Amino acid sequence: MSHDSVSAGADREGSDSSGQESTLADHEAQLNAVLADVEGSSADDEPISLELPGLGMNRRDFMKAGAAVGTVSALAGCASLTGGGTNTQTTSGDVPDHTVAPGEHDEYYGFWSGGHAGDIRIFGLPSMRELTRIPVFNREPAKGYGFDDETNAMLEDAGGYTWGDSHHPSLSETDGKYDGNYLFVNDKANGRVARVNLKYFETDAITNVPNVQAVHGCCIQSPNTDYLFANSEFRTPLPNDGRDVTNPEKYVSVFTAIDPESMAVRWQVQVDGNLDILDTDKDGRWAISSAYNDEEGVEIEEMTRDDRDYVKAFDVPAIQTAVDNGEYEEVNGVPVVDGRRDSLLNSGENPIVRYIPTPKSPHCVEVEPNGKYAMVAGKLSPTVSIIDIEKLASEPDPAKTIVGQPKVGLGPLHTTFDDRGQAYTSLFIDSQVVKWDIETAVDSPDNSEDAILGKIDVHYNPGHIQAIQAMSTEPIGDWLVVLNKLSKDRFLPVGPIYPDNDQLIYIGNDKDDETGGMELVADHPVYPEPHDAIFATKDKIAPAKTWDKADYEGEKEYVSETNSRVNRIDDTTVEAYASVKRSEYGLRDFTVKEGDQVTLTVTNIEGSQDIVHGVAIPEYDVNLALAPQDTREVTFRADKPGVYWIYCTYFCSALHLEMRSRMLVEPR
Amino acid sequence: MSHDSVSAGADREGSDSSGQESTLADHEAQLNAVLADVEGSSADDEPISLELPGLGMNRRDFMKAGAAVGTVSALAGCASLTGGGTNTQTTSGDVPDHTVAPGEHDEYYGFWSGGHAGDIRIFGLPSMRELTRIPVFNREPAKGYGFDDETNAMLEDAGGYTWGDSHHPSLSETDGKYDGNYLFVNDKANGRVARVNLKYFETDAITNVPNVQAVHGCCIQSPNTDYLFANSEFRTPLPNDGRDVTNPEKYVSVFTAIDPESMAVRWQVQVDGNLDILDTDKDGRWAISSAYNDEEGVEIEEMTRDDRDYVKAFDVPAIQTAVDNGEYEEVNGVPVVDGRRDSLLNSGENPIVRYIPTPKSPHCVEVEPNGKYAMVAGKLSPTVSIIDIEKLASEPDPAKTIVGQPKVGLGPLHTTFDDRGQAYTSLFIDSQVVKWDIETAVDSPDNSEDAILGKIDVHYNPGHIQAIQAMSTEPIGDWLVVLNKLSKDRFLPVGPIYPDNDQLIYIGNDKDDETGGMELVADHPVYPEPHDAIFATKDKIAPAKTWDKADYEGEKEYVSETNSRVNRIDDTTVEAYASVKRSEYGLRDFTVKEGDQVTLTVTNIEGSQDIVHGVAIPEYDVNLALAPQDTREVTFRADKPGVYWIYCTYFCSALHLEMRSRMLVEPR
């Protein structure tokens, strides 16, 4: 193993090998230069079309042509740019049609995390049409999520926050294959994880994880979803209750294991540094997490001071044994095991957490479909570090678990996979995707480009990248989506907050050309700010078309037309029950008194798919959405006297407009 | 004028000409039969694929084949089905490509109302890609809307509701052409109207209209946006403060005129019946509104009892004169003019509101681009009534202002227009679009099908329908979008709440075939539940790419790096000011005391387009989104001691993850 890239990174940062702190001014200069020149985003408003004086070419082409290679390599600490791809605007004849004719279905489901929109978005692939959205951490009126008593209570019990920052969707697996039961996702903003029930495509549980701030990495344990794992990214005092606020050396971050059925937190492991993103092996032993700031600084110069950081490989059975043996401290009701590098538990023959040195501030870990290797993208290093998972248990020197380190390009962030042993890594700074061969990379010297098969330009600054079923043992290898963070000039302007650009690339053809056969097929503007995505073949997902009332029997009443009624419980409490079907609520009207607490229970008694009804009470902020056979309850205070016409928000029949109930609120 | 359709309608409802009330059982039987058989939505779960015993064809084809025409005509009160179209799945060679290659731009902007999602959605046409969404009545975290002090105060001042039901987007005009300044939209749920500033694609004003419940129709006054008009659909006591709740005869609905610059309510007009949808002429005199329930009943049987209802044509200058003359009652600070049919003001030579009889419960009014005719779709009648706008001023008999009444099909709801004198009407029950010639319809006998040029199947149950710039004086006549309320089997299943289906139809080719040349090009699933849309050529809209700080100077401070600071105002009040740019907040950390009220003001000092930054404070529900040069403020109570890492929600640079500020909340 050489560590040229690490050294180069140190040079770039202006710090010497003793780890001396670089100054903010150094960082500013470096960042401004990299971001302005390499990304093409200067203070000029039109970076992409900007022509450099006397050159007759724009800044991007100028960079590609290599005229500024000296600058780039000096700034970014790597050798010359190779490949470079063309801005492929049209596809060759052997790319399948990505459009889907009217009435035909897509081949794949795509589940996007919505970022700080707080939701999950479902797309069909390859058409890239949004099929629906699932509100998770955001209250969302179209589906009445957060408006009925049950979903409102779930959100209130999980902290009462009105938003979240969903990053990493993870599909439940059985035998390493997506089983269509659940999708899990993190909330970075508020340290939570949520579960989406894929029978109803609805969020059914949110856990506010104790002892953490900013859950970032989040994934299920392959192959059988025995745990849901969650990383806390931000280091804080443990517990974070006002103690040690000015003592950063007391801050910690933790790795959390959650029961995917009860969604209860089982145990946590305290580690050094800031945890980032994680993935698991395919055998149920290792959870492997990227991390940064092993310096444990609190400012950016401190966080990026040293040449290396440490990937954390969590030995799940060993941790479980420690928990069973009582080797933990209980904090806020959770067993917290000490997995810091210098801890007693971590110093023996079988450490519970292995610390694997990589170039500093790597970004992501993805385990390839065979489960043999974990890929650690370098971010500030132009490399991907390849961890041989088998060696995690057998190799005494953690550094030697890294068996390859191809040089891929500037700003590698995420890697995905096809079914042919090939990897695809997003290059944030280069605005490219690089295709490379995994076994060639393992067999080649570190920092070589031998494994590179091609590069393609993307637009612009890609983050996550995902191919069909690449996170499971069943990759497909036809389509790949690149989630670009900037779109700049790619779409009609829509004001100063731009859409991102999810680009569809066909990877089904391996060719000996500039791009290795990758072809850019379509640009798709997306609402801010999708973070990651995961894709499944359509046969894996089988949602219900109507509700099965057995799923809520005993908790909520199924209100038929004949038991629609109003019950006055006491002087200030009323319960109203109504059925709803096309053109008619079971209650034509009902009367309450000013100040009453009213609980309204409504059942959609339709048996037909797609016949959804709503319950809107004007000026009362009441808004239910009821799929066929579903029942929802809402409780509110009737504090405004007057006449309130309850109406249906889903256009449901030719007499939809005349369909009404009427709440009469009599003054006290 | 004959009124066959009205009589037929009466027969269908089972009421005689004396207006005797039909029973609920009659209605149920009729509705169930119409909806189950004609829409193909029976209690069976798979209505579309259902085969009728022994026929070897599905229900829909069965209906098309005319085998059940007797049933249909008996149920729906019209003659045989004509045309019928085919389920066009592929387009002929002379339809332009609707896809847009990577990096190329769409030709048109589309502004969709999001229905009870509460937002406006911007699509590019013809690609039908969603470019962005503008939260209006919904608090939305991705854009931080409702999270900063200013937008939060706007929503609180407008009633504090957490949702709205946006129906009818209307673009501001100058000289009858879209001027790109504003988009207006109603909130049916809470009786409000909102304005979107198209410089920033952001909602900048919401008016909670007094004296109304459920603003439904909403449009600007052509040709120069002198007023924004809003219809209240639901009849309530005036004011609705607890008086007269059990006296429906005292309920009223009102038509409202709003100043589009100040967004202040100028005057209202009280009328008979429930107002529905409106449009204006092109000369600034008439606002023409559909209406139902002139019976002024409170239940569906009463509302649909009589054979006819009355379109209301508001004579805006005459109303203005009445207001100027003090001929009004002031209610909640608004002059309310009496425009009821039997009122004194409405009985003279120049009535302020003309009541035009149509078949009962018409749905929509659209004025065609030349401004000559207003089209009133029949809904429960299979006709469109054509009002000659010139006759509104000159014709003494209001009934005679209707100069044509073509029979178009079952459930006509909305009409749009091309640039060649042709109209396109959505048929909700038939699940079709019918194309017809306007002048032929005027010249033909009422209830004739002479003007019909073709029909095309859509999927399923279309509501609004819109062609490019059809609401202005500059129609284009190439693409048409049909907003179908049901999608059923058209997309991969996504749980029991289905997407709607917006279908793209090419109308640029006039042909003498079954569809009149209309060709179905693409299906697009859409999140519930778009209601209407309006389209403009791309040259009409010119949003800013960054903020102009002159637009908020004097209201908010522009915080530069050098004036980032923390000011303690008193023992419990802190003001913090921070700049933000790639990788750095102007404040690396700041300390407050538990219980402090903190106001944080942040400026994004970037000059480059598309470089947006966020400000998230974990567990404090703080979430700002800052476009370049924008400043936002947020005020919160620091009620939880501990360390809180402020982070950026928009992925902005290679060091985005390390970019942080830190709020230390010291215990008191």
Side-chain angles (χ1 to χ4, degrees):
Chain A
M1 286 288 304
S2 74
H3 286 287
D4 286 359
S5 62
V6 176
S7 308
D11 291 340
R12 177 165 88 257
E13 299 300 332
S15 64
D16 61 28
S17 60
S18 67
Q20 190 185 324
E21 191 173 320
S22 57
T23 66
L24 175 58
D26 292 340
H27 268 276
E28 269 193 50
Q30 177 230 334
L31 286 165
N32 288 342
V34 169
L35 291 164
D37 289 342
V38 180
E39 294 177 26
S41 303
S42 74
D44 306 297
D45 191 48
E46 298 293 350
I48 298 307
S49 60
L50 182 68
E51 294 198 356
L52 296 181
L55 282 175
M57 63 198 303
N58 69 31
R59 186 185 295 265
R60 185 184 180 97
D61 291 339
F62 176 75
M63 298 305 289
K64 294 289 171 222
V69 161
T71 315
V72 172
S73 58
L75 286 167
C78 75
S80 66
L81 290 163
T82 61
T86 56
N87 187 343
T88 311
Q89 298 290 3
T90 54
T91 59
S92 66
D94 51 359
V95 171
D97 188 4
H98 68 288
T99 65
V100 172
E104 293 184 8
H105 287 190
D106 275 293
E107 283 303 306
Y108 307 114
Y109 283 93
F111 300 86
W112 263 248
S113 61
H116 57 289
D119 56 359
I120 290 290
R121 303 161 186 186
I122 319 298
F123 284 67
L125 274 81
S127 77
M128 295 289 282
R129 295 175 299 179
E130 186 188 84
L131 299 170
T132 195
R133 302 196 287 272
I134 303 173
V136 180
F137 302 114
N138 56 323
R139 288 163 194 258
E140 203 288 319
K143 289 191 170 175
Y145 180 74
F147 286 82
D148 68 289
D149 287 351
E150 192 175 356
T151 57
N152 179 55
M154 180 174 69
L155 287 161
E156 288 299 319
D157 291 348
Y161 308 115
T162 61
W163 74 293
D165 191 359
S166 66
H167 277 208
H168 301 110
S170 184
L171 286 167
S172 61
E173 295 178 6
T174 300
D175 294 333
K177 300 173 176 64
Y178 300 143
D179 59 22
N181 291 329
Y182 295 121
L183 180 139
F184 300 91
V185 71
N186 70 306
D187 169 16
K188 171 161 170 168
N190 302 303
R192 301 181 292 178
V193 290
R195 184 178 68 192
V196 171
N197 174 332
L198 292 179
K199 179 174 183 184
Y200 295 120
F201 273 50
E202 183 171 317
T203 306
D204 72 357
I206 303 177
T207 296
N208 198 344
V209 184
N211 306 328
V212 311
Q213 191 162 102
V215 167
H216 194 180
C218 172
C219 74
I220 61 100
Q221 185 183 34
S222 287
N224 286 312
T225 319
D226 292 319
Y227 282 116
L228 171 68
F229 294 127
N231 278 345
S232 79
E233 183 186 340
F234 298 162
R235 300 174 61 252
T236 62
L238 183 68
N240 188 30
D241 58 2
R243 71 185 69 181
D244 299 325
V245 294
T246 56
N247 297 315
E249 68 277 10
K250 296 281 190 80
Y251 298 179
V252 302
S253 70
V254 301
F255 170 79
T256 301
I258 296 157
D259 182 303
E261 288 301 326
S262 68
M263 290 293 279
V265 174
R266 290 298 181 216
W267 44 256
Q268 296 181 316
V269 183
Q270 172 184 348
V271 295
D272 299 332
N274 291 39
L275 292 170
D276 193 354
I277 303 185
L278 84 158
D279 199 1
T280 75
D281 69 2
K282 305 297 189 190
D283 300 315
R285 177 158 181 185
W286 297 99
I288 308 166
S289 173
S290 59
Y292 63 98
N293 189 28
D294 272 77
E295 301 89 338
E296 306 206 326
V298 294
E299 301 205 358
I300 195 167
E301 299 83 353
E302 300 165 354
M303 294 182 187
T304 55
R305 186 192 58 207
D306 293 347
D307 293 343
R308 66 189 67 194
D309 279 299
Y310 294 86
V311 161
K312 279 79 180 169
F314 297 89
D315 186 338
V316 177
I319 296 165
Q320 187 65 58
T321 300
V323 172
D324 292 345
N325 293 341
E327 297 170 298
Y328 59 79
E329 178 190 2
E330 187 168 308
V331 185
N332 281 321
V334 179
V336 181
V337 179
D338 191 345
R340 288 177 294 183
R341 193 157 31 154
D342 300 331
S343 72
L344 198 63
L345 267 175
N346 223 23
S347 61
E349 282 284 308
N350 298 302
I352 62 169
V353 184
R354 301 214 71 185
Y355 281 68
I356 301 154
T358 66
K360 69 173 161 189
S361 299
H363 188 51
C364 195
V365 173
E366 284 102 358
V367 173
E368 48 84 30
N370 293 319
K372 193 169 178 189
Y373 302 116
M375 310 305 181
V376 184
K379 189 168 79 173
L380 300 186
S381 154
T383 61
V384 173
S385 298
I386 303 175
I387 296 173
D388 184 329
I389 292 173
E390 216 172 70
K391 288 186 190 290
L392 287 174
S394 61
E395 170 55 56
D397 179 0
K400 291 187 177 161
T401 65
I402 296 182
V403 296
Q405 202 174 65
K407 180 176 287 180
V408 291
L410 293 184
L413 292 189
H414 296 278
T415 302
T416 191
F417 311 98
D418 64 22
D419 56 338
R420 307 180 300 279
Q422 300 170 136
Y424 302 79
T425 300
S426 59
L427 301 175
F428 181 84
I429 294 175
D430 276 345
S431 282
Q432 291 187 314
V433 170
V434 54
K435 175 180 177 179
W436 52 282
D437 185 79
I438 297 172
E439 290 298 345
T440 305
V442 170
D443 294 339
S444 303
D446 290 348
N447 282 292
S448 94
E449 295 174 354
D450 298 353
I452 307 300
L453 299 169
K455 293 185 178 186
I456 189 168
D457 284 359
V458 296
H459 313 86
Y460 304 91
N461 300 96
H464 274 273
I465 182 175
Q466 195 63 264
I468 310 291
Q469 292 197 158
M471 302 300 285
S472 80
T473 57
E474 302 178 300
I476 303 292
D478 51 0
W479 298 103
L480 176 148
V481 177
V482 185
L483 285 70
N484 295 287
K485 296 301 183 183
L486 302 183
S487 62
K488 295 180 180 175
D489 55 353
R490 303 291 284 188
F491 306 112
L492 287 180
V494 289
I497 296 186
Y498 285 40
D500 291 0
N501 184 12
D502 288 353
Q503 289 186 301
L504 182 70
I505 292 176
Y506 188 68
I507 56 169
N509 297 326
D510 294 325
K511 290 184 186 170
D512 186 19
D513 62 9
E514 227 175 25
T515 69
M518 293 186 283
E519 297 202 50
L520 174 62
V521 172
D523 279 20
H524 282 274
V526 286
Y527 194 69
E529 174 167 300
H531 192 93
D532 190 9
I534 188 166
F535 310 140
T537 55
K538 64 183 174 187
D539 61 295
K540 301 286 192 203
I541 311 292
K545 295 184 175 183
T546 65
W547 271 80
D548 180 352
K549 63 186 172 185
D551 283 337
Y552 59 80
E553 237 163 19
E555 292 165 33
K556 286 179 289 192
E557 176 177 331
Y558 181 96
V559 186
S560 67
E561 286 178 281
T562 52
N563 63 1
S564 294
R565 66 200 186 275
V566 182
N567 295 342
R568 176 162 287 281
I569 305 301
D570 60 32
D571 188 48
T572 58
T573 312
V574 170
E575 293 176 354
Y577 298 84
S579 61
V580 59
K581 65 177 185 182
R582 272 163 282 191
S583 86
E584 194 180 15
Y585 291 103
L587 287 175
R588 292 301 188 91
D589 56 57
F590 60 96
T591 301
V592 301
K593 285 199 187 310
E594 181 181 356
D596 279 346
Q597 179 185 283
V598 180
T599 298
L600 178 62
T601 302
V602 186
T603 299
N604 178 351
I605 61 173
E606 305 273 359
S608 302
Q609 65 169 341
D610 202 9
I611 306 297
V612 182
H613 294 295
V615 178
I617 308 185
E619 299 160 44
Y620 267 97
D621 220 29
V622 167
N623 165 47
L624 301 178
L626 293 146
Q629 297 293 303
D630 192 11
T631 295
R632 301 277 162 164
E633 297 172 347
V634 60
T635 300
F636 58 95
R637 182 76 55 187
D639 52 6
K640 291 184 292 280
V643 174
Y644 299 90
W645 291 94
I646 299 173
Y647 74 95
C648 178
T649 46
Y650 279 86
F651 202 111
C652 56
S653 82
L655 287 174
H656 164 76
L657 213 62
E658 291 83 354
M659 172 182 175
R660 216 77 59 72
S661 181
R662 186 168 43 127
M663 178 172 74
L664 308 177
V665 184
E666 292 183 336
R668 286 259 175 201
Chain B
M1 286 288 302
S2 74
H3 285 287
D4 286 0
S5 62
V6 175
S7 307
D11 290 339
R12 177 165 88 255
E13 299 299 333
S15 64
D16 61 26
S17 59
S18 69
Q20 188 183 325
E21 189 173 320
S22 57
T23 67
L24 174 59
D26 292 341
H27 269 277
E28 271 193 50
Q30 178 230 334
L31 287 166
N32 288 343
V34 169
L35 292 164
D37 290 342
V38 181
E39 295 176 26
S41 305
S42 74
D44 306 298
D45 191 46
E46 298 293 350
I48 299 305
S49 61
L50 181 68
E51 294 197 355
L52 296 181
L55 282 175
M57 62 197 304
N58 69 32
R59 187 185 294 265
R60 186 185 178 94
D61 291 338
F62 176 74
M63 298 305 288
K64 294 288 171 221
V69 161
T71 314
V72 173
S73 59
L75 287 166
C78 74
S80 66
L81 291 164
T82 61
T86 57
N87 187 343
T88 310
Q89 298 290 3
T90 55
T91 58
S92 65
D94 51 359
V95 171
D97 189 4
H98 69 288
T99 66
V100 172
E104 293 184 9
H105 287 188
D106 276 293
E107 284 301 306
Y108 307 114
Y109 284 93
F111 300 86
W112 262 248
S113 61
H116 57 290
D119 56 0
I120 290 290
R121 302 160 185 186
I122 319 297
F123 283 67
L125 277 80
S127 78
M128 295 290 282
R129 295 175 300 179
E130 187 188 84
L131 299 171
T132 195
R133 301 195 287 272
I134 303 173
V136 180
F137 303 114
N138 56 323
R139 288 165 193 259
E140 202 288 318
K143 290 192 169 174
Y145 180 76
F147 286 82
D148 68 288
D149 287 352
E150 192 177 354
T151 57
N152 180 55
M154 181 175 68
L155 287 161
E156 288 300 320
D157 291 348
Y161 308 115
T162 62
W163 74 295
D165 191 357
S166 66
H167 277 209
H168 301 109
S170 183
L171 287 167
S172 61
E173 295 178 7
T174 301
D175 294 333
K177 300 174 175 64
Y178 300 143
D179 58 23
N181 291 330
Y182 296 121
L183 179 139
F184 301 90
V185 70
N186 69 307
D187 169 16
K188 171 161 170 169
N190 302 302
R192 299 182 293 179
V193 290
R195 184 178 67 192
V196 171
N197 173 334
L198 292 179
K199 179 175 183 183
Y200 295 119
F201 272 51
E202 183 172 315
T203 306
D204 72 357
I206 303 177
T207 296
N208 198 343
V209 184
N211 306 328
V212 310
Q213 191 163 104
V215 167
H216 194 181
C218 172
C219 75
I220 60 100
Q221 186 183 34
S222 287
N224 287 311
T225 321
D226 292 319
Y227 282 115
L228 172 67
F229 295 126
N231 279 344
S232 79
E233 182 185 340
F234 297 163
R235 300 173 62 250
T236 62
L238 182 69
N240 188 29
D241 58 1
R243 70 185 70 181
D244 299 325
V245 295
T246 55
N247 296 315
E249 67 277 10
K250 296 281 189 83
Y251 297 0
V252 302
S253 69
V254 300
F255 170 79
T256 300
I258 295 158
D259 181 304
E261 287 301 326
S262 69
M263 290 294 278
V265 174
R266 290 299 181 215
W267 44 257
Q268 296 181 315
V269 182
Q270 173 184 347
V271 294
D272 299 332
N274 291 38
L275 291 171
D276 192 354
I277 303 185
L278 84 159
D279 199 359
T280 75
D281 68 4
K282 304 297 188 190
D283 300 315
R285 176 158 183 186
W286 298 100
I288 309 166
S289 172
S290 60
Y292 62 98
N293 190 27
D294 271 79
E295 301 89 338
E296 305 205 327
V298 294
E299 301 204 357
I300 196 166
E301 300 84 352
E302 299 165 354
M303 294 182 188
T304 54
R305 186 192 59 207
D306 293 348
D307 293 344
R308 66 189 68 194
D309 279 299
Y310 293 85
V311 162
K312 278 79 180 170
F314 295 89
D315 186 339
V316 176
I319 296 165
Q320 188 63 61
T321 299
V323 172
D324 292 344
N325 293 341
E327 296 170 299
Y328 59 80
E329 179 190 3
E330 187 168 308
V331 185
N332 282 319
V334 179
V336 182
V337 179
D338 191 344
R340 289 177 292 183
R341 192 157 32 155
D342 299 332
S343 72
L344 198 62
L345 266 176
N346 219 26
S347 61
E349 282 284 310
N350 298 300
I352 61 169
V353 185
R354 302 212 70 185
Y355 282 68
I356 301 155
T358 67
K360 70 173 161 189
S361 299
H363 188 50
C364 196
V365 173
E366 285 102 358
V367 173
E368 48 84 30
N370 293 319
K372 192 169 179 190
Y373 303 115
M375 309 303 181
V376 183
K379 190 168 79 173
L380 300 186
S381 153
T383 61
V384 173
S385 300
I386 303 174
I387 296 174
D388 183 330
I389 293 173
E390 214 172 71
K391 288 186 191 287
L392 288 174
S394 61
E395 170 57 55
D397 179 1
K400 290 186 178 161
T401 64
I402 296 182
V403 296
Q405 201 173 65
K407 179 176 288 180
V408 292
L410 293 183
L413 292 189
H414 296 280
T415 302
T416 191
F417 311 98
D418 65 22
D419 57 337
R420 306 180 300 279
Q422 299 170 138
Y424 303 79
T425 300
S426 59
L427 303 174
F428 181 84
I429 294 175
D430 276 344
S431 281
Q432 290 186 316
V433 171
V434 54
K435 175 179 175 179
W436 52 281
D437 185 79
I438 296 172
E439 289 298 344
T440 306
V442 171
D443 294 338
S444 302
D446 290 348
N447 282 292
S448 95
E449 295 173 354
D450 297 351
I452 306 300
L453 298 169
K455 293 186 177 185
I456 188 169
D457 284 359
V458 296
H459 313 86
Y460 303 92
N461 302 96
H464 274 273
I465 182 176
Q466 195 63 262
I468 310 291
Q469 293 196 155
M471 302 300 283
S472 80
T473 57
E474 301 178 300
I476 303 292
D478 49 1
W479 299 102
L480 175 148
V481 177
V482 185
L483 284 71
N484 295 287
K485 297 300 181 183
L486 303 183
S487 63
K488 296 180 178 174
D489 56 352
R490 304 290 285 188
F491 307 112
L492 286 179
V494 288
I497 295 186
Y498 285 40
D500 290 2
N501 184 12
D502 287 351
Q503 290 185 302
L504 182 70
I505 292 176
Y506 188 68
I507 56 170
N509 297 325
D510 294 324
K511 290 184 187 171
D512 187 19
D513 62 9
E514 227 175 21
T515 70
M518 292 185 284
E519 296 202 51
L520 175 62
V521 172
D523 279 20
H524 282 275
V526 287
Y527 194 70
E529 176 167 299
H531 191 92
D532 190 8
I534 187 166
F535 310 141
T537 55
K538 64 183 174 189
D539 61 294
K540 302 287 191 202
I541 311 291
K545 295 183 175 184
T546 66
W547 271 79
D548 180 351
K549 63 185 172 187
D551 283 338
Y552 60 78
E553 239 165 14
E555 293 165 30
K556 286 180 289 191
E557 175 177 331
Y558 181 96
V559 186
S560 68
E561 287 178 279
T562 52
N563 62 0
S564 294
R565 67 199 186 275
V566 182
N567 295 342
R568 175 162 289 280
I569 304 302
D570 59 31
D571 189 47
T572 57
T573 313
V574 170
E575 293 176 353
Y577 298 83
S579 61
V580 59
K581 65 177 183 182
R582 270 163 284 192
S583 85
E584 194 180 13
Y585 291 101
L587 287 176
R588 292 302 188 91
D589 56 53
F590 61 97
T591 302
V592 300
K593 287 200 184 312
E594 181 181 356
D596 279 345
Q597 179 184 283
V598 181
T599 298
L600 177 62
T601 303
V602 186
T603 298
N604 179 349
I605 62 173
E606 305 272 1
S608 301
Q609 64 168 342
D610 203 8
I611 306 297
V612 182
H613 295 296
V615 178
I617 309 185
E619 300 161 43
Y620 267 98
D621 220 28
V622 168
N623 165 48
L624 301 179
L626 293 146
Q629 298 293 304
D630 193 11
T631 296
R632 302 276 162 166
E633 298 172 346
V634 60
T635 301
F636 58 95
R637 182 77 55 187
D639 52 5
K640 292 185 291 281
V643 175
Y644 299 90
W645 291 94
I646 299 173
Y647 75 96
C648 178
T649 46
Y650 278 85
F651 203 110
C652 56
S653 84
L655 287 175
H656 163 76
L657 214 61
E658 291 83 354
M659 171 182 176
R660 218 75 60 72
S661 181
R662 187 168 43 128
M663 179 172 74
L664 308 177
V665 184
E666 293 183 335
R668 285 259 175 201

